């Protein structure tokens, strides 16, 4: 996400690429393509996760964990090899779809209707933040970026600790439960995930203005998809906590 991303590595200067440069329409189109690929594999995984009787199938964990681990690996490859984004970003969307479809089916099995609510909240947040960004209500200043990145890093550490402690059957109390603290934590995470959308918008706009290479359209679309996936999962978690209190 650094400005050097758009510099020519040989000369160190920003290069004007004209037809070969990143465009806003191109990034929007590629974002739509990634979302479509994600939905396709998610629909397949959903059908495979639930048995004809509506129960969770025995092999559901294969799609969930396979998609989660595979998506993480492809995401890391894309981050460190941006030039591979035209290939790795679509692959990430396909693999991540398996994870989303499987976990969504499980959540919907537990709390019917929760998935549609999470989808509507996710895209509602996307369009609300896009409007706020385009209208100037929210600006991606340096302090704003530092705050969001720091908060995101803190949340990542909490989730990493949760995974590591889980191997020893130790759970972090309260924040993953359905009490007021757990709901408050989920709301905080959702706010930070939503603010990451602003960083994505700013990154894409900066890339277009600086004449980033064409493959950065795929990278910008990939970054936006990653944030949307995170936001959707957090909405699912929050809604599940709320429903479990009823």
């Amino acid at each position: 996400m650094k400005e050097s991303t758009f510099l020519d590595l040989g000369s160190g200067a920003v290069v004007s690429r004209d037809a070969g440069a990143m465009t806003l329409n191109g990034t929007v189109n590629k974002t739509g393509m990634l979302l479509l690929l994600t939905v396709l594999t998610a629909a397949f995984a959903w059908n495979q996760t639930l048995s004809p009787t509506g129960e969770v199938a025995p092999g559901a964990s294969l799609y969930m964990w396979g998609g989660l681990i595979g998506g993480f690996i492809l995401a890391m490859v894309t981050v460190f090899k941006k030039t591979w984004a035209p290939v790795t970003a679509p692959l990430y969307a396909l693999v991540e779809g398996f994870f989303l479809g499987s976990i969504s089916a499980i959540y919907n099995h537990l709390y019917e209707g929760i998935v549609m609510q999470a989808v509507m909240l996710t895209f509602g947040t996307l369009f609300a933040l896009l409007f706020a960004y385009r209208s100037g209500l929210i600006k991606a200043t340096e302090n704003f970026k530092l705050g969001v990145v720091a908060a995101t890093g803190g949340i990542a550490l909490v989730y990493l600790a949760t995974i590591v402690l889980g191997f020893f059957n130790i759970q972090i109390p309260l924040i993953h439960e359905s009490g007021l603290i757990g709901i408050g934590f989920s709301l905080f995470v959702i706010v930070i995930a939503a603010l990451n959308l602003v960083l994505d918008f700013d990154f894409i706009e900066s890339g277009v203005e600086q004449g980033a290479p064409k493959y950065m359209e795929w990278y910008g679309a990939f970054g936006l998809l990653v944030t949307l996936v995170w936001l959707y999962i957090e909405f699912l978690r929050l809604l599940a906590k709320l429903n479990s209190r009823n």
Side-chain angles (χ1 to χ4, degrees), residues 14-243:
V14 177
V15 178
S16 177
R17 296 178 174 83
D18 298 324
M22 179 181 185
T23 65
L24 183 58
N25 286 339
T27 307
V28 170
N29 291 337
K30 289 173 175 59
T31 301
M33 292 172 63
L34 294 185
L35 286 172
L36 177 60
L37 292 174
T38 305
V39 169
L40 289 176
T41 51
F44 174 80
W46 177 298
N47 290 328
Q48 296 299 311
T49 299
L50 296 180
S51 66
T53 59
E55 299 298 320
V56 177
S61 59
L62 177 63
Y63 292 98
M64 185 171 65
W65 288 106
L68 181 63
I69 296 172
F72 177 77
I73 293 173
L74 286 167
M76 289 298 99
V77 171
T78 307
V79 168
F80 290 104
K81 285 289 186 179
K82 297 178 179 63
T83 54
W84 294 4
V87 175
T88 57
L91 288 176
Y92 167 81
L94 288 169
V95 173
E96 195 69 14
F98 289 120
F99 165 70
L100 291 176
S102 181
I103 197 169
S104 296
I106 293 172
Y107 268 106
N108 201 70
H109 173 70
L110 295 173
Y111 309 105
E112 189 173 353
I114 192 176
V115 169
M116 184 56 64
Q117 294 172 19
V119 170
M120 293 176 65
L121 286 169
T122 300
F123 283 97
T125 303
L126 169 65
F127 292 122
L129 266 295
L130 180 58
F131 173 79
Y133 178 77
R134 296 299 296 173
S135 63
L137 293 175
I138 297 180
K139 296 182 180 179
T141 63
E142 289 304 313
N143 288 335
F144 176 88
K145 294 177 184 178
L146 287 173
V148 173
V149 170
T152 303
I155 292 169
L157 288 176
V158 171
Y159 282 153
L160 179 61
T162 300
I163 294 172
V164 173
L165 292 174
F167 290 119
F168 303 97
N169 293 322
I170 301 175
Q171 292 186 349
I172 298 178
L174 301 178
I175 62 173
H176 299 301
E177 299 172 5
S178 59
L180 292 178
I181 294 178
I183 292 174
F185 177 75
S186 288
L187 287 171
F188 171 74
V189 175
I190 285 172
V191 169
I192 299 303
L195 293 179
N196 269 270
L197 289 172
V198 177
L199 300 189
D200 294 328
F201 300 151
D202 180 70
F203 173 76
I204 292 170
E205 186 175 55
S206 298
V208 172
E209 290 176 352
Q210 297 183 37
K214 197 70 174 175
Y215 65 81
M216 293 302 293
E217 292 179 352
W218 285 105
Y219 189 76
F222 158 78
L224 193 56
L225 178 62
V226 169
T227 304
L228 288 173
V229 168
W230 179 27
L231 185 60
Y232 169 72
I233 292 298
E234 294 303 331
F235 271 126
L236 270 182
R237 289 165 58 85
L238 174 61
L239 291 170
K241 289 178 180 180
L242 293 173
N243 276 270

Side-chain angles (χ1 to χ4, degrees), residues 4 6-17 210:
S4 59
F6 311 129
L7 301 181
D8 180 82
L9 297 180
S11 64
V14 177
V15 178
S16 177
R17 296 178 174 83
Q210 297 183 37

